[in-house]
Amino acid sequence: MLFRSIFDQLVAICLARAGGDWGHRTQYTAANLANDLAGMEPAWAFDHTSAFLGAFLTAIGQLGTAPTSSLITAGGVSPHERAMEAFTRQSSIASAAREFLSAVEKAASANPVAVCSTVTVLIADERDNNRGLEAAWRLLPLLGRVGQSHGADPGVLAAILPVLHTYMVSSETALRSAALKAWAEIGVSHQLPSSVADLLPALLTDPYVAVVRAVLAAARSLTWGDDDRILLFVFAYRICESADADRGTPMLKDAMATLDVLAGGDGRLRTQRRTVALARTQRRRPTTAPRATGQATPMR
């Protein structure tokens, strides 16, 4: 019990600095240590799950704020220095938030159903209280990672999938994308219901780049019927034909990888995949923009 007592004391010290009262660098160091501790003893860390999530919420609540000082100095720092300092601070706070979520993910190995239930309640609370997207779009990928690792445990997918399905039809682009990516991540390791296939008519016409890339990820990881597979192959083919070779490079790579997966051993589809790949090597920029990506910019 001595080691458990020391463990709890160390976690308490980390959480005491989670608010950033000793500066953003110490805040990140504390979050990183909490994450390391959770990795060492997930069963002990499980008892601190709610505290880790509270520290995560504290961190993201600071992302849109800037520290104020009562000191007035002659001259002061330059605008460039202030901008760099603000960027460093925001980066440290965001990293601290990720570390606390990683600690929750590691603690989930002790009781994944309980952790998923806690996270889904938090997501619902954030939605019901209109606190914006900052928490939810970070928590949805956490559910995806826990689902991929522990989806075989009884009750885990039952706790996760209804939440992800709800957000796949959200009016917010960032949440649609995050939920679909999380679903696809789980689908890498577990057989899932056909919920995404049922939503394909809407997803394939979604104009946001973030959602387009999430659809491509789902196309590569989920199991599809023949008709849906061809539909997704055509979708990815059109992205390959028209994606901007400079600004759209990540999406173009996603689309090419998707064609490889969907073509499988089908000789006709593999020929079409080689045709579009050859065409892309012969030109640098497309003449038209892809309908699937539209002109809109994703929120995240």
Side-chain angles (χ1 to χ4, degrees), residues 2-138:
L2 174 62
F3 291 124
R4 174 62 190 268
S5 177
I6 294 173
F7 179 92
D8 290 340
Q9 288 179 38
L10 288 173
V11 171
I13 292 171
C14 294
L15 293 172
R17 302 281 74 82
D21 55 335
W22 284 13
H24 59 82
R25 292 180 178 84
T26 301
Q27 182 181 22
Y28 169 73
T29 301
N32 181 254
L33 177 56
N35 185 25
D36 288 343
L37 290 169
M40 295 175 189
E41 294 289 348
W44 295 352
F46 169 74
D47 291 337
H48 300 280
T49 297
S50 294
F52 290 150
L53 288 171
F56 156 75
L57 291 177
T58 296
I60 63 170
Q62 297 170 341
L63 287 174
T65 63
T68 58
S69 174
S70 59
L71 298 177
I72 300 176
T73 59
V77 298
S78 68
H80 175 73
E81 290 173 319
R82 282 197 297 271
M84 287 299 297
E85 182 179 350
F87 174 80
T88 301
R89 177 179 178 274
Q90 295 289 91
S91 178
S92 292
I93 293 173
S95 296
R98 286 194 297 271
E99 292 291 320
F100 282 120
L101 284 191
S102 180
V104 173
E105 181 182 349
K106 291 173 180 175
S109 63
N111 192 334
V113 174
V115 168
C116 288
S117 296
T118 300
V119 172
T120 56
V121 167
L122 178 58
I123 292 174
D125 183 68
E126 291 292 303
R127 179 192 61 217
D128 294 343
N129 289 282
N130 296 316
R131 295 195 184 102
L133 308 179
E134 290 298 332
W137 79 265
R138 288 174 169 86

Side-chain angles (χ1 to χ4, degrees), residues 132-166:
L133 308 179
E134 290 298 332
W137 79 265
R138 288 174 169 86
L139 291 168
L140 292 172
L142 172 63
L143 291 179
R145 295 191 297 272
V146 174
Q148 184 187 51
S149 299
H150 306 288
D153 291 14
V156 171
L157 295 186
I160 293 174
L161 296 184
V163 178
L164 297 183
H165 186 272
T166 295

Side-chain angles (χ1 to χ4, degrees), residues 271-292:
T271 297
Q272 293 183 359
R273 193 275 182 210
R274 288 193 293 270
T275 299
V276 74
L278 179 62
R280 287 316 308 254
T281 62
Q282 295 175 344
R283 59 188 174 90
R284 184 169 181 79
R285 289 183 177 274
T287 56
T288 59
R291 182 178 184 276

